[in-house]
Amino acid sequence: PAIGVLEKGPFLLLLKAAAKPGLTAAMPELPEVETVMRGLKPVLEGQRIETVTLRRADLRFPFPQGFAARLAGRQILGLSRRAKYILAEIEGGDCLLVHLGMTGRFTVLRPDGSRNLGEFYFETGAGSDAAGAHDHVVMALADGTRLVYSDPRRFGMMDLFPSGETATHKLLRDIGVEPLGNGFHAEYLAEKFKGKSARGLYGDVVE
């Protein structure tokens, strides 16, 4: 099995055990981002970033000032997910935040050209030279691996901020409890829904 491309959005998912030509599988957004994060963990955690190449000045929003320089030479200490955001703890006290938008995806390019890194294989992704029209960010790691962020529609985004500000970051501070975490349980739901009408209950669930 192989995982060359880690992709968010409608995609072709080919399982070694039961692959069918043209099979299309769309996953809910949060589980999809969780899958991407888990696929990146063994590739990135503990690795040192040699260089970061930005092929444009922005995605959905401009990159933070000094983005590439602040990441270069730093070690990636750990990866996690908060809602639909991937968070990377960076040596020196920064946090890299990534949102994949509609068409954002990561391609992992090993020095020997292999892409065999996990459970799944997605058919679309960056080219082997990481120089495609939609390959906007290239991160070169100390072991020779390149991580390429591609995003045709450019609705994704990246931010870099002090790790101590994670709880108060404008994109994270108002997010509710993690549905895949231990804090999401029957007692929590009962408290949130207490005294709500059917209309109010529907709004809480949908939002």
Side-chain angles (χ1 to χ4, degrees), residues 9 31 55 81 117 119 141-143 158 188:
R55 300 274 169 74
R81 179 196 52 76
L117 300 168
E119 301 275 335
L141 306 180
D143 69 350
M158 295 186 185
Y188 171 84

Side-chain angles (χ1 to χ4, degrees), residues 58-75:
D58 60 0
L59 294 171
R60 184 176 182 184
F61 305 111
F63 289 102
Q65 187 172 5
F67 180 80
R70 290 164 61 189
L71 289 173
R74 300 296 180 89
Q75 187 180 30

Side-chain angles (χ1 to χ4, degrees), residues 129-141:
D129 58 357
H134 305 299
D135 299 341
H136 304 309
V137 181
V138 181
M139 185 180 296
L141 306 180

Side-chain angles (χ1 to χ4, degrees), residues 179-192:
L180 301 183
N182 293 331
F184 187 71
H185 45 66
E187 290 78 9
Y188 171 84
L189 287 176
E191 179 62 28
K192 288 295 182 181

Side-chain angles (χ1 to χ4, degrees), residues 189 193 196 198-207:
L189 287 176
F193 294 159
K196 294 289 182 70
R199 182 182 297 274
L201 178 62
Y202 175 80
D204 282 344
V205 172
V206 170
E207 292 174 4

Side-chain angles (χ1 to χ4, degrees), residues 81-97:
R81 179 196 52 76
R82 185 72 175 97
K84 292 182 285 185
Y85 298 97
I86 296 173
L87 304 176
E89 183 182 358
I90 305 299
E91 178 186 28
D94 278 335
C95 178
L96 171 63
L97 177 149

Side-chain angles (χ1 to χ4, degrees), residues 77-155:
L77 303 178
L79 263 68
S80 61
R81 179 196 52 76
R82 185 72 175 97
K84 292 182 285 185
Y85 298 97
I86 296 173
L87 304 176
E89 183 182 358
I90 305 299
E91 178 186 28
D94 278 335
C95 178
L96 171 63
L97 177 149
V98 178
H99 192 287
L100 300 171
M102 294 179 66
T103 58
R105 60 186 183 267
F106 286 104
T107 305
V108 176
L109 302 177
R110 291 295 196 184
D112 62 1
S114 67
R115 302 186 178 201
N116 300 327
L117 300 168
E119 301 275 335
F120 307 107
Y121 174 73
F122 301 100
E123 287 194 332
T124 59
S128 59
D129 58 357
H134 305 299
D135 299 341
H136 304 309
V137 181
V138 181
M139 185 180 296
L141 306 180
D143 69 350
T145 297
R146 288 178 295 166
L147 180 69
V148 185
Y149 178 78
S150 308
D151 193 346
R153 295 192 179 185
R154 299 201 309 275
F155 286 164

